[in-house]
Each structure stands twice: as structure tokens, then as C-alpha cells.
């Protein structure tokens, strides 16, 4: 794809000749690479800047295959003869600096060819998840006979002065922001055509060699430890805006923006156009313009417009914009007057609406096209769910809940999971556990979940904590989130198996639990952990309540839950020494928690011993950990659902509320408790907000838990053994009469076609090859075998 994000780039030529190729001689990339990290010679290496690199070569013939390994700091894109062939790097840390491996042979031709690269450094205002050494680019051919391609001698580089940062501040976003600066691009200074083969780079200086490139496994010290990319690239799909919702003094062709059509902005005019994608998205906006020298075009990205002050977070119906204000961060592009100029940022943006503000100078500007490239992790939907026998309106609502949930989970999945794509772009354990489980169920894809477990484990500190988010260039710890990492490892064990990986990560779990076990009192409870004791935004600052002596039921219950996960992990791939240690601590907590926190007069568990604070959260965990079981658990769950004096869960904690509902044997009531999602749908959301309708963020994947629970509670499909080697199917249809469900499995798909008839289930359950299980009905358990089981 010639000139796109890409058309904003620069290039240079350096001629090398290649004789007929010898048989491939693979490079050893496990130690010192045969390539150098390079950067422009006379440019800032640690400040915000866009840098361009070029190398021109001559080829007598084109090989059938030519793999090059490349990486950049912070973000880079590699072009061959004007076409983008790869980009990255996959987000990691300095000890795991990823590189991409790309076969560039299909883009080469006999004669002159050019490799061109753009590298953006965010400087002092990077995304929170972006680590960095300095500006740099490295490339090495996989075949020794093509070492002349490698970065070092013969590469040219130049700083592109057209780029400067938009440092996002409180006038653009309210509250915490961690997405890094946006772009200000002056097309009058830009090296147009920089990536094209015929671009004249004769005035470009030679690139400066920064240092040798070293593999992660290399014995020598280095600043970037290069390791192969582990995840596929994101899917890029062109998409059109649904409509222009607002325009001032400009004629909009009827076909625009759903099709390309010229929109002319007269000279000396300031106008605003509001584009509506129709739904939230994560995408690269693509703008093509002609003329209009000196005209500024600001692209302001908005999740939802506001009614009144932004701090009030009053957004009303998300599909309505009349009388509302659109406020968000922005990119800005200045036209140089040329024809068919393309602007596209180097990283995707999150938005539903884009407010385009154009201010022309002495010439009219023609907007020739404006669309976007949808970008997200390449999940493939394998699951399907359909329940019938409930009112048609309820069925439509369930379908919509599933649609919005799947969109939300996709927009929060990129090189890593993200809590939200608009404000933070960060991978947190609490969010990620829920996101990974939904991914296993919807897509049958555990790669991003495994990547998260791996990356969080890298953040282990000397105190025995994991960073609450990772990768990150900051320091932030949430003790309970470290415990949820153990839950993530347990979930991965159940859905994927992978005993060698589990065994490799168990020492991290032991260190995490060691911190908490060292804080046990003689009575079996836990002293107050350090740092931010976040549970749910329902509490002040999100923190669990504590009494003056540091007692907290939520801390004790979280540790108990983690110990139970860890005992199963140690049984599967570990050491019974640790199992016994955890069992002893768990028994102490099981004895202490009712003693300190059960209030017999209210028949509820209290958050602290003096019985001042009560929450649904504490009572949910009492059920999930098995402190309360059977009919007592069912009664406690109903009290937690109906007592409005308790601290109520936000969208995030709904996941654990319904895990507890199932554990209490009330799964039949799940479909009757989806009120929070129905309320949000009535407000026109297209992704799930962070907490309530007055949330800061409009897209938080932890709210997509129905996409998990409709399969695991209503359809009742769960792994009954590590690696999904056995299946437990316990349908809870409520008022539903028939169920059609497909659930992905490592060996294929589980398929249910069930119907209630005279109080019994009839139909079929299909299990993949080599899989067994049981179907739980009201009359007992039925053994399931490989293939089609007829009931």
C-alpha cells in the first residue's frame, strides 16, 4: 500500500551490488548480531522526534525468500520500494525488546530497490506502557549473503522537522491519562515521497552507528535485549465513517463519507465537521487532501460528547450530539498545498467521533477522502450462543449484549491487553484476568493471555509484588492484582494446560504468596499489605475498608482465593511442599474469617470486624472461597443481591458477583440479573464503560463478562481438568427452552443443541476427539464421551 501512514515518510539512496546468490547461510542471532543500532547523526536521540532512514541497493536477481529481522525504538515502520511491509515493535521491555521477522522478497525487483524506515520517539511524554533507551533502528538479514542490507555502513538517516508533539493536558482529557503525546505534523516541512524508490536523498547524511545489536541470550551487556516477536500483527481493515453529523458552511456530497468525494473548504475559512463512525473503534484515521497551503486540519478524537462540564461525566445518550460538546485529544496536520497528500498517524487512535476543525489561509483546501483502518489483535470468533423461549425483546437484548461485549474485548486487545484504548493503553492484572477468560471462551485463543502472564512475571520486584500494570515506565503496585496473576495462571492451566510453562512460572507465584504469608498474624489473618489495596471503584479510592488494626475481610478473602488457586497449580505441575504450606494457611483463614467478619444479626459478612462497613464484594468472596456453601450460600447470595445498603459492585466486580451466583447454585437466575448492561444499552453505548454511565472511559473490557458467563453459566460449559482434558456441562437456562451453543476447545469445538421437555434436557452434546466429560442435570450426572452424545 503505497503512501499511507507511510506517505508521511522520507528516504535516501546508497548503491550496493549483489552477485548471483549462494545457497542460504542462516545467521546466528543468539549472540551479537551482524548489525548495528543506528540513528541520525545530528538529531535529538531522546527527545520527541520523527526520524527517517533509507538504504538503496542493486539486485541482479530477486531471491525466492529474503527474511529480514528489524526493530526500532520507540515505534517504527519498514517500507520496501514504497510499500509498508512491517511495523512494530511488539510492546515489551528493555530485557525483552521484540523484533519482527519479514520476508521482503515479494516486494523486491531486479535492479534498484530501496529500504525505507520511519521511527517515532515520544520523548519525555511516552505512553505509560512504552519503555525506551533512545531513538534507534536495527535490521539484519537472515541470510549471511545479504549482510549488505544490515544497518550500519551505507544507511542514511535524517531528522524530520515536520513532527512535534501535542502534549495532552487537562484541556483535552479529564483525569488520568497515560496514552502519550499525539502528533502535530507540518506538511510544509515534510519530506514528501521519502519512502519512494525515485526519491532524491543525495543530501541526506550517513546514519550514525549507536551500538552493536545484541540478542537477549547474548553473554554481553547491552541496552536492548532483542528477542523474536511472539504475537501476530494486528488485523488492518479499511472502514468508512457512517456519517457527517455536523458541518458549518460547507457543502457535503451525499455520498460522503461512506464513499470518497471532494469536500471543498473555501479560502480564509474556519469550519468544523463531526464524523461519526457509528460505534467505538481503534483505527488509523487516513486523510487525503489537495491544495490549501498553510491550512491546518485538527482531528479531535472523542468517545462520547458531554452535556455540561466534562468533570461531571454526563454524556446522556451516546448517539446524540445536539447541544453537546466534543472534547478530546487531537492530531493536527498542516497542508503544504500539494496534490493528494496523505496523513495517517503512526499509531492507531480510539474514537467513535472525530471532530475535524479546518482553518484555511489564502487557498481553498479540498478534502478528497477521509476514512480509517480498523486495527486490533487478530482474534477469530469461534463461539456462538443462542437461547430461545424467552421473550423476543429479551433475546434481542442478549444478542446486543454479546455484540457490544465482543466489540469491547476486541478494542482492548492489541500488542497487549489494555484496560482501555483511549486513556491508558495499559495492561493491568485485574482487567486482564477477565479479558483473558473471555478470549479463551469466545475465540479459543490463549496466546495473548499467555503473553500477559509472561510479561507480568517480568515485573517481579524485591518485595514480592508484580507491577499492577506491565509493560510500564512507571511504578504502581496493587497487592490484590498480584494475587489475580495467580488466578490468571490457574485459568491458563485449565483452558490450555501447558505444564512446562506453568512449572516455569510457579516460582513467581511462590514469591507472591510468600509476601502475604510473611504477613500472617497468629490468628491466621493478614496484616495490611503495602501500596494501593484496590478492589473496585465502588469503594473510596477503590480500596478495601480496613479497621484501625489493619483487619480487612477483602484482603483475607483474596489471599484465601489465591491459595486455593495455588494449591491446584502445585498439584498439577509443582511441589507438595508448597501445597501443604498453602493448605495450612488456607485452613487458618477458613477458621479466622467467620470468627472476625460474620455478623449473625445481619446474616452477612462484614468488611471489618467492628461491623461498620458491609459490601456485596466480601459476601461474594465468602461464597467463592467455599467458606459458605450449599443452601447457606444461596441464602447469602440472595441477601447480597437484594440488600441495597451494601456497597454495590460496579461493572468490573459484576464478574465476581456472577461467579459467586454460580457457586451458590443460583445460575438459573443469571439472566434475570443483567440490569446494569440493559441500562447502558438504553443509553446507546457501543462498548462497555468503565464503571457506570457516568464513567470517564467508554471502553473497558472488564465489562464484557456476559460474553463469558452466558457460556459458562447459562450454557454451563467449563473445563473440568487442566488443559480442558475433561468438560463439565451444567446448563442453567432459566426461562429459556432451547439452547444452541458452540464453545471452542483446544482440540476442536464443543457443541450443544439442547431443549427442555417435560422437565428434562433432550438433544445432543458434541465433544472433540480425545475429550470426555459429564452433563449435570437436575436428575444427576450423565457421562459424556468423544463425539456426539444423544440425550
Amino acid at each position: 500500500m503505497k503512501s499511507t501512514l507511510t506517505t508521511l515518510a522520507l528516504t535516501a539512496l546508497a548503491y550496493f551490488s549483489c552477485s548471483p546468490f549462494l545457497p542460504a547461510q542462516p545467521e546466528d542471532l543468539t549472540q551479537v548480531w551482524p548489525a548495528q543500532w543506528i540513528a541520525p547523526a545530528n538529531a535529538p536521540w531522546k527527545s520527541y522526534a520523527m526520524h527517517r532512514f533509507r538504504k538503496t541497493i542493486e539486485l541482479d536477481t530477486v531471491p525466492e525468500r529474503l527474511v529480514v529481522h528489524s526493530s526500532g525504538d520507540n515505534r517504527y515502520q519498514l517500507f520496501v520500494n514504497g510499500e509498508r511491509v512491517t511495523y512494530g515493535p511488539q510492546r515489551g521491555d528493555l530485557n525483552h525488546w521484540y523484533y519482527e521477522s519479514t520476508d521482503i522478497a515479494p516486494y523486491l525487483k531486479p535492479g534498484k530497490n530501496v529500504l525505507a524506515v520511519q521511527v517515532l520517539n515520544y520523548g519525555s511524554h511516552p505512553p505509560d506502557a512504552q519503555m525506551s533507551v533512545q531513538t534507534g533502528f536495527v535490521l539484519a538479514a537472515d541470510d549471511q549473503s545479504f549482510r549488505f542490507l544490515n544497518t550500519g555502513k551505507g544507511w542514511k538517516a535524517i531528522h524530520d522537522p515536520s513532527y512535534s508533539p501535542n502534549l495532552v493536558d487537562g484541556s483535552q482529557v479529564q483525569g488520568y491519562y497515560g496514552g502519550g503525546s499525539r502528533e502535530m505534523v507540518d506538511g510544509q516541512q515534510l519530506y514528501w515521497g521519502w519512502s519512494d524508490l525515485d526519491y532524491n536523498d543525495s543530501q541526506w547524511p550517513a546514519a550514525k552507528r549507536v551500538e552493536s545489536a545484541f540478542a537477549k541470550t547474548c553473554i554481553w551487556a547491552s541496552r536492548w535485549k532483542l528477542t523474536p516477536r511472539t504475537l501476530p500483527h494486528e488485523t488492518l481493515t479499511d472502514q468508512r465513517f457512517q456519517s457527517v453529523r455536523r458541518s458549518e458552511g460547507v457543502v457535503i456530497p451525499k455520498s460522503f463519507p461512506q464513499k470518497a468525494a471532494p469536500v471543498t473548504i473555501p479560502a480564509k475559512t474556519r469550519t468544523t465537521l463531526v464524523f461519526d463512525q457509528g460505534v467505538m473503534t481503534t483505527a488509523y484515521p487516513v486523510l487525503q487532501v489537495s491544495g490549501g497551503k498553510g491550512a491546518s486540519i485538527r482531528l479531535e478524537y472523542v468517545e462520547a460528547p458531554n452535556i455540561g462540564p466534562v468533570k461531571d461525566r454526563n454524556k446522556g445518550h451516546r448517539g446524540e450530539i445536539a447541544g453537546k460538546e466534543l472534547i478530546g485529544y487531537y492530531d493536527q496536520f498542516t497542508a503544504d498545498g500539494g496534490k493528494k497528500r496523505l496523513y495517517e498517524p503512526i499509531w492507531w487512535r480510539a474514537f467513535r467521533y472525530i471532530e475535524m476543525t479546518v482553518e484555511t489561509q489564502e487557498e481553498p483546501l479540498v478534502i478528497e477522502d477521509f476514512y480509517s483502518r480498523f486495527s486490533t489483535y487478530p482474534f477469530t470468533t469461534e463461539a456462538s450462543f443462542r437461547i430461545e423461549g424467552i421473550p423476543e425483546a429479551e433475546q434481542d437484548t442478549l444478542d446486543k449484549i454479546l455484540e457490544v461485549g465482543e466489540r469491547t474485548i476486541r478494542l482492548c486487545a492489541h500488542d497487549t491487553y489494555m484496560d482501555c484504548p483511549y486513556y491508558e493503553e495499559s495492561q493491568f492484572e485485574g482487567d486482564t484476568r477477565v479479558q483473558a477468560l473471555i478470549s479463551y471462551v469466545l475465540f479459543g485463543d490463549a496466546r495473548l493471555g499467555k503473553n500477559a502472564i509472561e510479561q507480568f512475571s517480568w515485573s517481579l520486584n524485591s518485595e514480592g509484588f508484580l507491577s499492577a500494570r506491565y509493560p510500564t515506565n512507571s511504578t504502581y503496585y496493587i497487592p490484590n492484582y498480584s494475587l489475580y496473576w495467580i488466578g490468571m495462571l490457574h485459568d491458563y492451566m485449565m483452558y490450555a494446560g501447558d505444564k512446562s510453562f506453568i512449572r516455569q512460572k510457579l516460582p513467581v507465584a511462590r514469591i507472591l504468596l510468600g509476601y502475604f504469608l510473611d504477613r500472617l498474624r497468629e490468628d491466621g489473618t493478614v496484616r495490611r499489605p503495602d501500596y494501593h489495596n484496590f478492589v473496585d471503584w465502588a469503594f473510596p479510592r477503590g480500596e478495601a475498608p480496613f479497621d484501625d488494626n489493619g483487619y480487612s475481610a477483602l484482603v483475607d478473602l483474596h489471599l484465601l482465593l489465591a491459595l486455593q488457586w495455588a494449591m491446584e497449580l502445585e498439584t498439577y505441575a509443582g511441589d507438595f511442599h508448597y501445597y501443604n504450606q498453602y493448605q495450612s494457611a488456607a485452613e487458618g483463614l477458613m477458621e479466622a474469617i467467620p470468627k472476625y467478619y460474620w455478623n449473625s444479626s445481619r446474616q452477612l459478612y462484614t468488611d471489618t470486624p467492628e461491623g461498620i462497613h458491609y459490601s456485596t464484594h466480601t459476601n461474594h468472596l465468602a461464597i467463592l472461597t467455599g467458606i459458605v456453601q450449599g443452601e447457606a450460600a444461596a441464602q447469602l447470595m440472595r441477601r447480597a443481591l437484594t440488600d441495597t445498603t451494601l456497597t454495590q459492585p460496579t461493572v468490573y466486580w459484576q464478574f465476581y458477583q456472577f461467579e459467586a451466583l454460580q457457586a451458590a447454585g443460583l445460575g438459573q437466575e443469571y439472566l434475570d440479573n443483567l440490569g446494569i448492561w440493559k441500562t447502558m444499552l438504553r443509553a446507546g453505548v457501543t462498548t462497555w464503560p468503565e464503571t457506570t454511565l457516568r464513567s470517564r472511559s467508554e471502553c473497558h473490557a472488564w465489562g464484557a463478562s456476559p460474553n463469558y458467563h452466558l457460556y459458562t453459566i447459562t450454557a454451563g460449559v467449563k473445563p473440568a481438568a487442566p488443559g480442558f482434558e475433561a468438560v463439565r456441562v451444567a446448563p442453567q437456562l432459566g426461562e429459556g427452552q432451547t439452547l444452541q451453543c458452540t464453545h471452542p476447545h483446544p482440540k476442536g469445538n464443543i457443541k450443544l443443541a439442547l431443549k427442555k421437555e417435560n422437565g428434562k434436557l433432550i438433544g445432543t452434546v458434541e465433544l472433540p476427539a480425545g475429550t470426555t466429560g459429564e452433563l449435570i442435570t437436575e436428575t444427576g450426572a450423565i457421562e459424556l464421551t468423544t463425539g456426539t452424545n444423544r440425550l
Side-chain angles (χ1 to χ4, degrees):
M1 51 191 212
K2 277 198 172 184
S3 32
T4 65
L5 225 165
T6 72
T7 313
L8 289 178
L10 302 165
T11 5
L13 311 162
Y15 290 94
F16 286 81
S17 189
C18 177
S19 57
F21 306 118
L22 299 173
Q25 305 171 66
E27 290 280 12
D28 178 8
L29 299 179
T30 63
Q31 295 295 308
V32 181
W33 280 29
Q36 300 278 321
W37 283 92
I38 58 173
N42 301 306
W45 286 0
K46 294 199 173 184
S47 301
Y48 182 96
M50 176 65 83
H51 303 285
R52 314 288 189 185
F53 301 79
R54 279 178 64 99
K55 183 166 191 174
T56 302
I57 59 173
E58 287 279 349
L59 296 178
D60 294 335
T61 58
V62 175
E64 290 185 5
R65 178 175 171 82
L66 177 52
V67 173
V68 297
H69 310 288
S70 57
S71 190
D73 185 348
N74 298 165
R75 300 206 64 78
Y76 81 98
Q77 296 176 340
L78 169 64
F79 304 83
V80 176
N81 294 333
E83 291 194 62
R84 183 172 63 181
V85 299
T86 193
Y87 59 93
Q90 178 184 329
R91 189 162 273 169
D93 63 16
L94 300 185
N95 292 322
H96 307 82
W97 196 272
Y98 290 109
Y99 63 85
E100 282 68 40
S101 298
T102 311
D103 181 9
I104 65 171
Y107 306 93
L108 298 171
K109 61 183 182 178
K112 187 171 73 171
N113 294 266
V114 65
L115 278 63
V117 180
Q118 61 178 356
V119 176
L120 178 67
N121 190 333
Y122 286 98
S124 61
H125 290 74
D128 283 345
Q130 180 65 59
M131 296 190 183
S132 175
V133 175
Q134 63 160 75
T135 295
F137 174 69
V138 66
L139 180 145
D142 193 58
D143 188 337
Q144 292 181 24
S145 61
F146 287 90
R147 281 185 174 177
F148 59 87
L149 296 177
N150 296 357
T151 45
K153 185 178 179 181
W155 278 82
K156 293 186 173 186
I158 197 166
H159 168 228
D160 183 344
S162 66
Y163 277 72
S164 59
N166 165 23
L167 305 180
V168 177
D169 57 23
S171 68
Q172 300 173 57
V173 297
Q174 288 287 319
Y176 178 73
Y177 172 72
S181 56
R182 307 288 89 162
E183 299 175 5
M184 308 279 283
V185 180
D186 185 353
Q188 299 170 108
Q189 300 185 68
L190 198 145
Y191 300 105
W192 292 105
W194 69 274
S195 64
D196 294 343
L197 184 59
D198 57 358
Y199 179 83
N200 181 5
D201 66 356
S202 61
Q203 301 303 309
W204 283 27
K208 185 177 178 64
R209 286 180 280 186
V210 176
E211 63 182 53
S212 294
F214 295 84
K216 181 184 180 297
T217 50
C218 182
I219 62 174
W220 305 115
S222 61
R223 296 187 293 170
W224 294 281
K225 286 290 190 179
L226 289 162
T227 190
R229 183 184 183 99
T230 59
L231 296 172
H233 273 102
E234 298 188 17
T235 300
L236 296 175
T237 307
D238 288 355
Q239 59 184 10
R240 306 297 306 190
F241 287 97
Q242 188 180 87
S243 61
V244 175
R245 297 288 299 278
R246 184 187 295 166
S247 62
E248 301 172 2
V250 176
V251 177
I252 306 297
K254 289 184 179 180
S255 61
F256 185 77
Q258 295 188 1
K259 293 182 179 180
V263 177
T264 300
I265 314 297
K268 296 183 178 181
T269 299
R270 188 180 191 277
T271 189
T272 299
L273 296 83
V274 175
F275 292 83
D276 184 0
Q277 189 68 51
V279 295
M280 271 290 294
T281 191
T282 52
Y284 295 86
V286 182
L287 172 68
Q288 180 174 307
V289 299
S290 286
K293 183 175 183 180
S296 66
I297 305 108
R298 175 178 291 192
L299 306 178
E300 192 163 341
Y301 307 102
V302 180
E303 291 186 303
N306 284 273
I307 303 170
V310 176
K311 64 181 178 62
D312 292 345
R313 299 178 179 174
N314 182 12
K315 303 174 184 178
H317 192 282
R318 275 47 172 179
E320 298 170 356
I321 70 170
K324 296 183 180 181
E325 190 172 7
L326 285 83
I327 298 175
Y329 48 64
Y330 60 85
D331 295 312
Q332 185 164 305
F333 172 69
T334 302
D336 72 321
K339 293 184 178 180
K340 297 188 180 302
R341 298 306 203 197
L342 277 174
Y343 169 69
E344 185 178 353
I346 198 170
W347 182 247
W348 51 260
R349 305 294 189 237
F351 59 89
R352 171 175 173 173
Y353 299 96
I354 295 182
E355 185 174 68
M356 178 190 292
T357 302
V358 182
E359 190 163 358
T360 57
Q361 301 300 316
E362 303 301 321
E363 297 179 4
L365 175 80
V366 180
I367 300 171
E368 296 175 322
D369 202 3
F370 189 47
Y371 62 99
S372 66
R373 301 186 202 282
F374 178 57
S375 180
T376 186
Y377 181 87
F379 282 129
T380 300
T381 303
E382 297 288 341
S384 63
F385 177 92
R386 182 77 181 179
I387 188 170
E388 296 180 352
I390 59 177
E392 185 176 348
E394 286 294 303
Q395 180 61 65
D396 292 343
T397 298
L398 278 184
D399 291 344
K400 191 67 175 178
I401 287 172
L402 287 169
E403 174 195 330
V404 171
E406 182 168 338
R407 181 180 300 113
T408 308
I409 199 76
R410 286 181 181 276
L411 299 192
C412 294
H414 296 273
D415 276 359
T416 64
Y417 286 114
M418 295 180 177
D419 62 329
C420 62
Y422 188 89
Y423 284 95
E424 299 182 43
E425 301 179 13
S426 292
Q427 181 172 253
F428 285 82
E429 288 105 338
D431 306 64
T432 297
R433 181 178 180 233
V434 178
Q435 290 170 276
L437 280 168
I438 298 168
S439 300
Y440 303 157
V441 168
L442 279 189
F443 314 118
D445 188 337
R447 292 174 294 179
L448 204 56
K450 182 177 182 179
N451 179 73
I453 294 167
E454 178 74 72
Q455 291 190 336
F456 282 124
S457 74
W458 301 340
S459 72
L460 184 67
N461 72 3
S462 59
E463 298 172 73
F465 280 119
L466 301 179
S467 177
R469 61 180 174 215
Y470 206 79
T472 184
N473 52 42
S474 63
T475 302
Y476 181 35
Y477 300 113
I478 298 175
N480 289 339
Y481 274 22
S482 286
L483 296 178
Y484 281 131
W485 180 87
I486 299 173
M488 290 169 57
L489 191 63
H490 180 272
D491 300 335
Y492 181 76
M493 173 188 74
M494 296 303 293
Y495 279 91
D498 203 349
K499 184 176 287 189
S500 62
F501 178 73
I502 301 295
R503 186 177 291 118
Q504 176 192 350
K505 295 304 171 187
L506 273 175
V508 178
R510 293 164 186 163
I511 293 171
L512 299 177
L513 289 171
Y515 170 87
F516 289 89
L517 297 181
D518 286 345
R519 301 183 74 83
L520 286 179
R521 303 181 180 96
E522 289 186 3
D523 60 12
T525 62
V526 185
R527 289 182 288 114
R528 181 174 187 151
D530 299 318
Y531 303 107
H532 187 193
N533 285 282
F534 178 86
V535 173
D536 182 18
W537 287 120
F539 299 98
R541 300 193 307 175
E543 290 198 290
F546 288 86
D547 72 2
D548 292 342
N549 296 312
Y551 280 82
S552 173
L554 284 164
V555 169
D556 292 331
L557 285 161
H558 272 101
L559 176 57
L560 177 56
L561 187 61
L563 288 168
Q564 292 169 343
W565 287 327
M567 289 162 64
E568 294 189 17
L569 285 162
E570 295 289 353
T571 299
Y572 176 64
D575 187 328
F576 274 99
H577 164 77
Y578 294 100
Y579 177 95
N580 293 333
Q581 182 183 9
Y582 301 155
Q583 184 182 46
S584 176
E587 289 172 352
L589 284 163
M590 293 283 282
E591 182 179 345
I593 288 170
K595 174 183 173 183
Y596 281 98
Y597 305 110
W598 175 248
N599 186 306
S600 57
S601 63
R602 291 197 62 176
Q603 292 291 291
L604 290 166
Y605 279 86
T606 177
D607 297 340
T608 55
E610 70 271 29
I612 298 175
H613 304 282
Y614 290 84
S615 67
T616 57
H617 308 66
T618 289
N619 290 279
H620 295 156
L621 288 181
I623 296 168
L624 277 177
T625 55
I627 287 179
V628 187
Q629 300 182 33
E631 181 57 29
Q635 293 177 8
L636 179 62
M637 190 69 211
R638 288 199 171 97
R639 286 193 289 274
L641 284 171
T642 57
D643 190 338
T644 57
T645 67
L646 307 181
T647 300
Q648 297 297 304
T650 67
V651 173
Y652 162 53
W653 194 264
Q654 296 284 331
F655 174 85
Y656 292 99
Q657 172 166 282
F658 293 124
E659 288 288 278
L661 185 82
Q662 185 178 36
L666 300 178
Q668 295 280 4
E669 300 179 16
Y670 174 68
L671 294 177
D672 300 325
N673 284 279
L674 299 176
I676 191 169
W677 288 279
K678 294 176 181 179
T679 298
M680 290 190 289
L681 286 179
R682 287 194 290 271
V685 303
T686 61
T687 50
W688 301 124
E690 182 175 5
T691 54
T692 65
L693 282 175
R694 290 205 171 191
S695 296
R696 176 190 60 152
S697 166
E698 285 290 297
C699 184
H700 252 67
W702 63 21
S705 59
N707 292 73
Y708 174 75
H709 284 137
L710 286 170
Y711 290 90
T712 61
I713 296 178
T714 306
V717 180
K718 278 193 170 183
F724 230 144
E725 291 295 331
V727 178
R728 185 177 188 270
V729 183
Q732 304 282 297
L733 304 187
E735 297 301 315
Q737 297 300 309
T738 64
L739 173 71
Q740 298 284 334
C741 175
T742 300
H743 187 300
H745 183 279
K747 297 178 181 178
N749 285 326
I750 299 165
K751 295 182 179 180
L752 309 182
L754 299 174
K755 181 180 180 180
K756 287 195 296 189
E757 191 171 283
N758 299 323
K760 295 182 179 181
L761 281 176
I762 63 171
T764 59
V765 177
E766 294 182 34
L767 299 186
T771 307
T772 59
E774 61 178 4
L775 173 70
I776 308 300
T777 71
E778 293 182 1
T779 57
I782 299 172
E783 182 181 355
L784 301 173
T785 60
T786 292
T788 301
N789 297 264
R790 301 188 182 280
L791 310 180

